[in-house]
Amino acid sequence: MFHLAWFTNPRAHGWTANGADRWAGNDILPERWQTLSFLKDMARQLEGACFDFIMIEDHVVLTNDKQNLEPRIDPMIVMPVLAEATRKLGIIGTFSSSFYPPFLLARQINSVDHISGGRAGWNVVTSSEDWAAQAFGKDKQPPHDERYAIADEMLDLVKQLWDAWDPNPWEMSAETGRYVDPTKFREFTFEGKYHKSLGPLNVTRSPQERPAICQAGSSPAGRDFAAKHADVILCSTFGQNSVQALKDFRDDVRARVARHGRDPDDVKVMYLISPVLGDTEEAAQQRYQEVVGMTPAILAQRLGRLTLHTDMDWTKFDLDAPFPDIDPAGVTQGFQGMIASLKAFSKGKTLRETLSEQETTSLKLIGTPEQVADQMQAAIEEIGGDGFLMHARPLTRRYLAEVLDGLVPILQRRGLVRGEYTTDTLRGHLKAF
Ligand SMILES: Cc1cc2nc3c(=O)[nH]c(=O)nc-3n(C[C@H](O)[C@H](O)[C@H](O)COP(=O)(O)O)c2cc1C
């Protein structure tokens, strides 16, 4: 069996730069997406299909490419709303280790774990944008690997904060007048290189003991950090379309997990995919051409996103010259792994061709639901485990129906994915098989 999860953003969906998508309906209207009505419906549907979790992607600032702005809603607000709309689905929010005081974030995520009955997760990102640092009153972001060192120390502190209460601390004695047994928590001081705090939290131990940790770093420092802390690791090879590359990634992180003294089976690796489905193979291929169809507006949108993710200005490069021969670590403190993957993919292509043909996902899955189910099954058999993180391009109710009512039931009938929940918590879902 393998796991299924959904990757989304708290921003306008179904919106494509060329307005080509005919199925977005009113969900692209600001008064619709900004009230989360579509996200709530989506979460309920994902739960109906027994997904492990919904992951809410985030960046805290706009892109430096001011021509292509994508406003959002804060995931810390989205999480409880989705928790209230569902009963079993795991809900992972993205929060930067660079900006939150550890005590505040530990308290908030722990609180979401309580109100959701143990379904909260934290996608730990270190954030690459200097603008974000400046928004929070700093001059710029620390160098790439140091950001992971800061995050590592933050996780050590956050875990201590989560662990500082014993389960079931309630005394509730009319005799003593105490609600809480005062022996059931530990005070402690934490003084590290980057963080300082006095614990414990005033929120008790959460249903999962510790909310689940999710991570998506691909550099050596990122993989090591994930191997030490994560329950689930998100993997994209950005269009390399190679099952072997995914197997290599999984083998590498599992070896790192073992080096940290953890059981590799306790960490699930989820591969980012965006299947394109059709009633026939030809129809699916035609849909794919529409999805990747490159208009100047879409190209501009991709340049904007690349600028945001890599924290460097890509508009300065000649679109029709070969993909720039740059050393990612030498040019940016942003997403270096993304540039490395694009470079590997570009081989002899121009920047324009690379951006047109590039995929954000790991495998190219195009066909009828049966054909895509075959491809997913074959890929997992070859890789050895764990599951897929699905995302839509563009995200519409039609796409959701195609995946959740078309593809997923086939996988369920084959016994490849969960047909009903067997646990109530996010970590429970992840560890169920
Ligand atoms: C599936 C996936 C989801 C991600 N979601 C976010 C996100 O929400 N916010 C963010 O700042 N970075 C996100 N990232 C980026 C990673 O956290 C990480 O910064 C990036 O992969 C670069 O890692 P590296 O510098 O270790 O190579 C995501 C990456 C992947 C593959």
Side-chain angles (χ1 to χ4, degrees):
M1 282 179 83
F2 54 83
H3 298 259
L4 291 177
W6 193 263
F7 175 71
T8 193
N9 338 61
R11 59 177 168 81
H13 285 292
W15 166 252
T16 53
N18 60 3
D21 193 85
R22 297 169 296 277
W23 294 93
N26 285 334
D27 290 323
I28 59 171
L29 297 177
E31 62 270 26
R32 288 291 284 268
W33 73 265
Q34 290 186 137
T35 61
L36 306 181
S37 69
F38 179 40
L39 268 180
K40 282 190 279 188
D41 289 347
M42 181 161 67
R44 287 187 202 105
Q45 282 179 270
L46 293 169
E47 181 163 278
C50 300
F51 273 46
D52 283 32
F53 62 84
I54 183 170
M55 195 290 243
I56 304 151
E57 186 259 7
D58 193 42
H59 287 265
V60 293
V61 288
L62 297 166
T63 168
N64 275 314
D65 177 355
K66 311 281 169 20
Q67 298 305 311
N68 286 285
L69 304 178
E70 295 182 311
R72 295 158 177 274
I73 295 287
D74 190 323
M76 192 55 84
I77 307 307
V78 177
M79 286 181 83
V81 172
L82 298 190
E84 194 52 31
T86 53
R87 291 292 167 265
K88 300 275 189 182
L89 184 70
I91 301 160
I92 298 182
T94 298
F95 304 102
S96 174
S97 54
S98 294
F99 311 123
Y100 280 86
F103 190 92
L104 175 67
L105 191 56
R107 185 172 187 259
Q108 290 181 325
I109 298 176
N110 181 308
S111 299
V112 179
D113 207 44
H114 274 295
I115 64 168
S116 63
R119 295 185 287 131
W122 170 19
N123 178 37
V124 186
V125 297
T126 64
S127 294
S128 45
E129 313 90 353
D130 281 340
W131 183 354
Q134 286 150 16
F136 286 88
K138 299 174 185 166
D139 293 332
K140 63 190 190 88
Q141 276 295 68
H144 179 273
D145 285 9
E146 192 180 5
R147 292 203 304 271
Y148 279 115
I150 296 169
D152 180 45
E153 194 187 282
M154 178 171 182
L155 263 286
D156 288 343
L157 166 54
V158 165
K159 285 177 185 170
Q160 282 189 39
L161 288 165
W162 285 338
D163 291 348
W165 280 88
D166 291 339
N168 218 1
W170 318 114
E171 186 170 308
M172 290 195 280
S173 158
E175 216 169 289
T176 62
R178 287 193 295 245
Y179 191 69
V180 165
D181 178 343
T183 66
K184 297 285 185 169
F185 67 91
R186 282 158 297 286
E187 282 182 60
F188 70 94
T189 46
F190 182 99
E191 237 180 295
K193 186 169 169 198
Y194 305 103
H195 304 290
K196 200 174 156 186
S197 185
L198 173 65
L201 299 173
N202 62 353
V203 186
T204 60
R205 201 177 190 89
S206 79
Q208 292 187 97
E209 308 265 309
R210 292 175 181 174
I213 299 294
C214 171
Q215 226 284 316
S218 52
S219 63
R223 291 183 193 200
D224 249 336
F225 172 80
K228 181 173 169 193
H229 296 290
D231 298 289
V232 53
I233 295 179
L234 313 180
C235 166
S236 175
T237 50
F238 298 106
Q240 282 181 46
N241 193 29
S242 152
V243 173
Q244 186 60 43
L246 300 179
K247 181 169 168 36
D248 292 346
F249 182 94
R250 182 169 183 267
D251 291 348
D252 179 80
V253 295
R254 284 173 68 85
R256 288 174 199 261
V257 170
R259 282 203 290 278
H260 281 285
R262 303 177 64 203
D263 180 352
D265 288 338
D266 284 348
V267 182
K268 303 299 182 213
V269 183
M270 309 282 285
Y271 317 102
L272 189 64
I273 57 167
S274 184
V276 179
L277 300 161
D279 288 340
T280 62
E281 193 176 342
E282 297 68 39
Q285 288 291 352
Q286 200 182 331
R287 284 284 292 288
Y288 178 71
Q289 292 311 322
E290 285 172 24
V291 171
V292 295
M294 191 51 52
T295 63
I298 291 184
L299 189 64
Q301 201 181 55
R302 288 200 180 172
L303 276 174
R305 287 193 187 145
L306 193 57
T307 295
L308 172 67
H309 291 136
T310 59
D311 201 35
M312 59 180 274
D313 181 10
W314 285 80
T315 56
K316 70 182 180 206
F317 295 112
D318 180 354
L319 278 168
D320 295 307
F323 189 85
D325 184 20
I326 47 179
D327 166 22
V331 289
T332 182
Q333 298 300 325
F335 291 7
Q336 296 169 357
M338 182 184 263
I339 302 176
S341 295
L342 277 180
K343 218 172 134 179
F345 171 74
S346 72
K347 284 189 215 94
K349 297 187 179 85
T350 63
L351 176 56
R352 184 192 302 277
E353 287 162 349
T354 307
L355 289 178
S356 308
E357 294 162 32
Q358 165 243 334
E359 297 272 337
T360 51
T361 57
S362 300
L363 293 176
K364 212 180 224 182
L365 300 174
I366 307 167
T368 63
E370 286 79 8
Q371 286 171 327
V372 169
D374 290 345
Q375 293 162 35
M376 290 168 75
Q377 180 171 4
I380 288 288
E381 274 165 15
E382 200 175 325
I383 297 165
D386 296 306
F388 294 101
L389 178 69
M390 308 182 85
H391 93 127
R393 297 171 306 166
L395 174 54
T396 62
R397 289 174 195 268
R398 166 170 142 165
Y399 187 79
L400 273 177
E402 285 172 340
V403 170
L404 304 182
D405 301 330
L407 174 60
V408 172
I410 294 172
L411 297 171
Q412 287 173 331
R413 283 199 292 273
R414 293 185 190 179
L416 295 171
V417 301
R418 175 186 293 116
E420 57 186 45
Y421 288 104
T422 53
T423 74
D424 297 324
T425 65
L426 170 53
R427 193 176 281 100
H429 302 336
L430 291 170
K431 288 183 126 180
F433 47 85

